[in-house]
Amino acid sequence: KTCETKNINAKYLETAVKTILTDKVNAYLSSPNTKKTVFNLLKQSKLEEVKSTQKHIDGLEDKICGLIDKAANPKTLPAVAERCETQANEAIQLQNGHKARLVELNTILSRIDKIEAEFTAQSAKLTVEDIFTSHATAREIIGVFIEKIIVDDKSDEIEIVFKNQEN
């Protein structure tokens, strides 16, 4: 639980860095221009995925209708009709998966809108748990914001040097 080169508790250091970064992210998101840009970027990728998912759903609907029509045609051979029914069922299952994803995406978009409104009203802030959902995410975020962390062996003071600014 301590850094190999420093006499400081690793858990304490991790908690301190995450808390400071959470404050920085909240301050960053509270800036009107930044807030709009960040939330627009978050929504843009999800809106693109919604459009793509809806396109898949529509394409599968056309395929399903075509397969059902072919299976129901009295001139279609029984073996071909059976194959069409099987493919239609597979397409329906795939389509249901896309529909479920579409519901998830719309839920995410609603949540982004809600969080943006809360930040606009200054009634919400992200927590450490909201931001640092995993160790991999924590490392990525730390890599984006922090140039280096200096721990003084004598005083156990922690200095965090942010990228493009000194603190």
Side-chain angles (χ1 to χ4, degrees), residues 47-106:
L47 287 169
E48 288 172 7
E49 191 176 346
V50 163
K51 187 177 178 181
S52 171
T53 302
Q54 187 62 56
K55 188 176 178 180
H56 286 342
I57 291 168
D58 295 342
L60 285 166
E61 186 63 31
D62 292 342
K63 181 177 180 177
I64 292 164
C65 289
L67 287 166
I68 291 172
D69 287 346
K70 191 169 185 176
N73 187 334
K75 295 181 182 178
T76 302
L77 296 173
V80 173
E82 187 178 323
R83 174 100 186 227
C84 288
E85 284 180 38
T86 301
Q87 288 177 345
N89 284 327
E90 290 169 358
I92 289 168
Q93 288 177 1
L94 186 57
Q95 186 185 48
N96 287 338
H98 286 300
K99 286 179 179 178
R101 179 62 182 155
L102 193 58
V103 169
E104 288 174 16
L105 290 168
N106 286 321

Side-chain angles (χ1 to χ4, degrees), residues 5-135:
T5 58
K6 305 287 180 186
N7 189 23
I8 191 163
N9 182 296
K11 187 72 175 165
Y12 171 79
L13 179 61
E14 177 184 329
T15 301
V17 170
K18 285 180 177 179
T19 300
I20 290 167
L21 274 176
T22 299
D23 292 343
K24 281 279 193 187
V25 168
N26 280 313
Y28 182 77
L29 289 174
S30 294
S31 166
N33 293 336
T34 303
K35 177 177 55 203
K36 197 72 174 161
T37 301
V38 168
F39 285 108
N40 283 342
L41 284 171
L42 283 171
K43 288 190 271 190
Q44 181 181 2
S45 67
K46 297 303 174 202
L47 287 169
E48 288 172 7
E49 191 176 346
V50 163
K51 187 177 178 181
S52 171
T53 302
Q54 187 62 56
K55 188 176 178 180
H56 286 342
I57 291 168
D58 295 342
L60 285 166
E61 186 63 31
D62 292 342
K63 181 177 180 177
I64 292 164
C65 289
L67 287 166
I68 291 172
D69 287 346
K70 191 169 185 176
N73 187 334
K75 295 181 182 178
T76 302
L77 296 173
V80 173
E82 187 178 323
R83 174 100 186 227
C84 288
E85 284 180 38
T86 301
Q87 288 177 345
N89 284 327
E90 290 169 358
I92 289 168
Q93 288 177 1
L94 186 57
Q95 186 185 48
N96 287 338
H98 286 300
K99 286 179 179 178
R101 179 62 182 155
L102 193 58
V103 169
E104 288 174 16
L105 290 168
N106 286 321
T107 301
I108 291 168
L109 285 166
S110 293
R111 176 114 168 93
I112 292 169
D113 286 339
K114 181 180 180 235
I115 292 170
E116 182 179 14
E118 289 171 351
F119 267 91
T120 299
Q122 296 181 343
S123 65
K125 290 192 177 231
L126 296 174
T127 65
V128 170
E129 292 77 20
D130 291 332
I131 297 171
F132 299 100
T133 56
S134 70
H135 289 299

